[in-house]
Amino acid sequence: MKEVTYLEAIKEAMDEEMSRDPSVFVLGEDVGVYGGAFRATEGFYEKYGEWRVLDTPLSESGFTGAAIGAALVGMRPIVEMQFADFISCAFDQLVNVAAKNHYRWGAATPIVVRAPYGGNIHGGAYHSQCIEGFFFNVPGLKIVAPSTAYDAKGLLKAAIRDNDPVIYCEHKYLYRRIKDSIPEEDYIVPIGKARIALEGKDISIITYGAMVHTALEAAQALNEYGVSCEIVDLRTILPLDKKSIFTTVKKTNKVLVLHEQTKTGGVGAEVSALISEYCFDHLDGPIIRVAAPDTPVPYSAQMEEAFIPQPKNVISAVEKLMRY
Amino acid sequence: MDIKREDLLQLYYYLKLTRRLEDRVTSLYHQGKILGGAWTSNGTEAVSVGYGYALEKNDIAAPYFRDMGAFLVRGISAKRIMAQYLGKKTGVTGGKEGNVHIGDLNFGVFAFPSHLADNYPVGTGAALAFKMRGEKRVVAACTGDGGTSRGDFHEGMNFAAVRKLPIVFICNNNQYAYTTPLRLQMAIKDVAERALAYGIPSKIVDGNNIVEVYTAAKEAYEIARNGGGPTFIECKTMRMHGHSEHDSAKYVPKELLEEWKKKDPISNMEKYLLENTIDGKDELEGIDSRVKKEIEEAEAFAEESPYPTPEDGLKGVYATPGEEM
Ligand SMILES: Cc1ncc(C[n+]2csc(CCOP(=O)(O)OP(=O)(O)O)c2C)c(N)n1
């Protein structure tokens, strides 16, 4: 076992996959000589050369489209978005080309798009967004969002080996703030499987990404009041692990869905709808969503803190739900 | 460049096959047998037959929707294409996609995504892979004149130019994008000027002269294959039907159509062959009857083929589906 940060885990996953498989390569803005805006590919250029660590023009649609084309002829490209926010420029290539290739004409498109996302870093409206919701409604895409260093590595490896286009949401706030012990040997975390981040019996908090840590903090406080929370870390957002969701609902009968993305039409809306559709008889109260308000991400610390769900928001929502 | 007699006759055969197949599709459309619309390359067939035929077997075509010739030349059969139009299970995409949204990796053809010029970056990526792996393969990516206004046209070309990739960009400049004439599409005279901005050498050819298109493409592929980077080829031609068969194209001046009618690519080629290659019309007629028969067989095959089931429509979203999907 060894200790790595979330960012180191991401880096290791790419490094090991690139060593293992010559068809894996990285492309994006400033990923080469500089090693990427967040240094996820630091040292790769020296190790793998300019044709496997490609600095591209500032051109998200262009290089995402190019990744798709390379994938169609046998490569496994990893696209780095400098910030997830800029993925909007590649929306068409992802939604209309990558996502539909296999359904339309049977051609697999094994690309991974790494999307450094999320707030709490004072990045403002264009460097803090959660983008999973933009793509959540697109059949043909897969979306993952690890919350731990262990999962960051295992999910990225799984994504690289997967034959479908995967949007890999890596939370910028977690990069250097969390660490895990991970095995020395190769491992993957399968796409499509949630995990129980905390076992509990009174209420289920279903969440993912950085909010798993928010939920854990809230759960610790609630435990002192005798409320036992079960935290489900979705890990994969598309396709949702319905089995794990339904299992926890049947166990606790009370559900809170938590995410950093804005509320309307977010992942929480779908999770809630699924539960009320398939587990209505198991519910002891309404499904409550705790999510960011429907505004762009504000810059100023006071406003940003209010925008991003905090443990206290989770605690008061749980208290409300426990009264049922 | 010397073109072998056999290749010249094949070019003629594919021109005819493309024209007859699309004419038949047009008739079927008017009989209400085609699902959705019917877009044809009528009058511009020399572009896609020419650039498609100049490719080698292991190369890739990243076409757009007026490239029926390229599909046929690459080896996708008239039968499967006809079945595609009728929405049959035996169609190229098994009924998942319609009409000209055809792609098949077994024949080195990327499917056309409706969003025009999307295949410029996608084709560029295949060329990138070839260069990374040291393979001597090239890509031909094509779009219409309207498509050249999109960002992906520019982003794809720029990336390919910077990395000197083995790709040739082709434009079927048929002077209209649906109803929009070229002068409202761009403030320059030749589309080729757009390529110059990326440092890509360009060539303007008579898109109704298949020998010219084929020769220009062949030369550009050889440059690309040998590390010389991309070329842009603008094929000047004229769309002789409406945008699709529902469109009477009243907005196109009659004189313009009259003028281009005289330059029909198939009559052009017949004249060329009679002057340079063959002794009499017999050989051409022989080819034509072969084509007619092929189209009749294709139609019969398509008609007799089964339809996909509703359940088929739920399959194939993912290459590696999880248990939940
Ligand atoms: C991005 C995009 N916008 C709109 C359309 C709808 N559309 C289909 S074909 C067409 C005109 C295309 O013109 P051009 O690129 O010149 O090709 P041509 O039809 O003349 O061969 C339009 C507007 C589309 N397919 N893609």
Side-chain angles (χ1 to χ4, degrees):
Chain A
M1 300 294 271
K2 58 182 168 185
E3 282 256 300
V4 293
T5 63
Y6 187 87
L7 181 62
E8 284 162 352
I10 291 168
K11 191 174 167 183
E12 275 195 9
M14 287 192 284
D15 195 4
E16 288 174 18
E17 291 303 293
M18 285 177 77
S19 303
R20 188 185 60 79
D21 179 353
S23 67
V24 179
F25 70 101
V26 186
L27 73 169
E29 290 150 17
D30 312 300
V31 298
V33 178
Y34 184 61
F38 295 100
R39 301 311 176 84
T41 55
E42 201 168 23
F44 283 28
Y45 186 85
E46 291 74 17
K47 187 167 175 188
Y48 298 105
E50 67 163 332
W51 287 96
R52 286 185 72 197
V53 192
L54 285 121
D55 279 322
T56 63
L58 198 161
S59 180
E60 283 75 11
S61 192
F63 62 72
T64 303
I68 294 168
L72 287 173
V73 295
M75 303 301 284
R76 292 189 172 270
I78 304 168
V79 177
E80 177 175 304
M81 292 290 156
Q82 196 154 73
F83 284 82
D85 308 69
F86 302 111
I87 203 171
S88 55
C89 295
F91 187 80
D92 172 48
Q93 286 287 351
L94 289 170
V95 166
N96 287 313
V97 189
K100 294 177 178 42
N101 273 339
H102 195 264
Y103 185 78
R104 294 172 65 228
W105 60 296
T109 310
I111 63 166
V112 178
V113 181
R114 286 183 35 239
Y117 80 117
N120 227 356
I121 55 148
H122 315 304
Y126 298 123
H127 295 76
S128 308
Q129 289 177 85
C130 292
I131 50 89
E132 63 276 21
F134 303 160
F135 298 98
F136 189 48
N137 194 235
V138 183
L141 294 179
K142 293 176 179 174
I143 307 172
V144 299
S147 71
T148 65
Y150 181 93
D151 286 350
K153 183 168 180 184
L155 273 173
L156 185 48
K157 285 191 159 220
I160 293 168
R161 296 177 197 180
D162 198 273
N163 285 329
D164 289 303
V166 181
I167 297 178
Y168 179 90
C169 298
E170 50 191 65
H171 204 294
K172 300 191 294 287
Y173 183 76
L174 301 180
Y175 273 156
R176 295 180 176 85
R177 283 188 177 84
I178 60 167
K179 275 190 174 178
D180 268 336
S181 279
I182 64 166
E184 300 279 350
E185 348 33 279
D186 181 53
Y187 70 93
I188 64 150
V189 169
I191 293 176
K193 295 263 182 290
R195 77 180 174 110
I196 303 295
L198 181 70
E199 293 242 19
K201 57 181 178 36
D202 298 329
I203 179 168
S204 300
I205 302 178
I206 300 175
T207 185
Y208 58 91
M211 286 296 112
V212 171
H213 302 280
T214 306
L216 283 166
E217 220 179 301
Q220 203 172 17
L222 285 159
N223 199 33
E224 287 169 23
Y225 296 101
V227 180
S228 156
C229 299
E230 174 145 302
I231 300 175
V232 177
D233 176 0
L234 291 171
R235 303 200 287 197
T236 295
I237 292 166
L238 189 66
L240 282 170
D241 181 354
K242 299 189 186 95
K243 220 187 264 168
S244 295
I245 294 172
F246 299 159
T247 305
T248 191
V249 175
K250 287 174 189 168
K251 179 176 174 189
T252 67
N253 315 116
K254 289 193 170 66
V255 188
L256 185 151
V257 192
L258 167 67
H259 56 65
E260 184 185 324
Q261 191 199 345
T262 53
K263 194 170 190 177
T264 301
V267 172
E270 179 62 25
V271 171
S272 310
L274 278 169
I275 294 169
S276 65
E277 196 173 347
Y278 296 104
C279 299
F280 187 74
D281 293 341
H282 296 274
L283 286 175
D284 267 357
I287 302 162
I288 293 188
R289 285 177 293 162
V290 175
D294 292 325
T295 68
V297 186
Y299 169 68
S300 203
Q302 293 72 14
M303 289 192 286
E304 190 182 19
E305 196 188 316
F307 174 87
I308 294 177
Q310 303 294 334
K312 63 178 183 208
N313 306 116
V314 177
I315 292 167
S316 59
V318 168
E319 281 169 349
K320 191 171 144 197
L321 200 45
M322 287 313 292
R323 279 184 225 121
Y324 282 89
Chain B
M1 184 163 57
D2 259 352
I3 308 177
K4 279 189 275 178
R5 177 191 153 90
E6 171 198 335
D7 287 326
L8 286 167
L9 292 177
Q10 278 295 86
L11 285 171
Y12 179 73
Y13 159 76
Y14 280 116
L15 278 177
K16 272 283 184 187
L17 186 65
T18 305
R19 173 77 55 92
R20 284 208 178 275
L21 188 146
E22 292 190 326
D23 279 354
R24 191 60 204 144
V25 166
T26 301
S27 307
L28 292 173
Y29 171 82
H30 290 294
Q31 292 167 28
K33 287 193 175 168
I34 303 286
L35 299 168
W39 293 261
T40 72
S41 60
N42 192 287
T44 75
E45 295 92 339
V47 176
S48 66
V49 172
Y51 90 71
Y53 194 75
L55 289 167
E56 303 286 333
K57 187 164 180 290
N58 286 324
D59 295 339
I60 291 280
Y64 92 123
F65 72 100
R66 260 183 240 287
D67 286 348
M68 181 57 70
F71 300 137
L72 291 165
V73 165
R74 297 294 293 163
I76 299 179
S77 71
K79 282 183 179 169
R80 292 175 71 213
I81 292 172
M82 205 53 111
Q84 162 98 350
Y85 275 101
L86 299 189
K88 296 294 181 84
K89 195 166 172 136
T90 53
V92 189
T93 62
K96 291 272 185 55
E97 261 287 21
N99 50 64
V100 282
H101 293 98
I102 293 167
D104 190 337
L105 284 174
N106 295 318
F107 296 94
V109 180
F110 284 178
F112 162 65
S114 234
H115 297 58
L116 285 156
D118 274 8
N119 263 349
Y120 265 46
V122 175
T124 294
L128 174 67
F130 297 158
K131 180 151 181 169
M132 289 166 80
R133 301 193 297 231
E135 295 168 0
K136 286 210 152 196
R137 299 161 72 183
V138 304
V139 179
C142 187
T143 193
D145 44 288
T148 73
S149 296
R150 269 208 67 227
D152 275 25
F153 171 86
H154 298 270
E155 295 194 23
M157 283 213 295
N158 186 48
F159 193 9
V162 167
R163 293 279 172 171
K164 246 186 164 188
L165 301 180
I167 180 165
V168 174
F169 296 106
I170 293 151
C171 174
N172 175 330
N173 177 2
N174 58 31
Q175 311 191 42
Y176 280 82
Y178 205 158
T179 68
T180 308
L182 202 61
R183 74 186 153 77
L184 297 179
Q185 196 70 244
M186 58 192 78
I188 49 178
K189 185 170 143 279
D190 300 313
V191 181
E193 279 184 56
R194 296 190 153 181
L196 296 180
Y198 302 105
I200 296 181
S202 60
K203 197 155 194 180
I204 297 174
V205 300
D206 174 358
N208 283 20
N209 182 330
I210 193 153
V211 173
E212 253 192 57
V213 176
Y214 171 81
T215 307
K218 195 93 189 159
E219 286 169 2
Y221 298 156
E222 280 328 293
I223 292 169
R225 214 182 289 287
N226 293 305
T231 304
F232 181 82
I233 302 175
E234 174 180 356
C235 305
K236 289 200 191 284
T237 178
M238 180 70 207
R239 197 191 73 200
M240 299 302 287
H241 281 199
H243 167 63
S244 98
E245 292 310 317
H246 74 272
D247 168 24
S248 62
K250 284 207 184 86
Y251 47 86
V252 180
K254 266 207 187 72
E255 312 78 66
L256 193 60
L257 290 172
E258 287 304 319
E259 179 197 326
W260 281 88
K261 208 170 162 185
K262 293 182 211 136
K263 302 191 247 185
D264 178 72
I266 297 186
S267 318
N268 253 352
M269 185 59 170
E270 280 170 2
K271 195 157 158 269
Y272 177 92
L273 290 172
L274 287 167
E275 279 168 12
N276 300 287
T277 318
I278 57 173
D279 292 332
K281 281 209 156 189
D282 288 359
E283 203 160 353
L284 296 183
E285 277 158 15
I287 291 172
D288 197 29
S289 41
R290 213 170 94 213
V291 167
K292 268 192 209 151
K293 192 156 162 271
E294 198 173 332
I295 300 299
E296 277 163 21
E297 285 169 4
E299 191 178 333
F301 169 83
E303 291 276 9
E304 288 157 17
S305 289
Y307 284 105
T309 64
E311 292 73 36
D312 289 334
L314 298 175
K315 294 176 193 153
V317 175
Y318 292 94
T320 46
E323 52 186 301
E324 293 295 323
M325 277 176 285

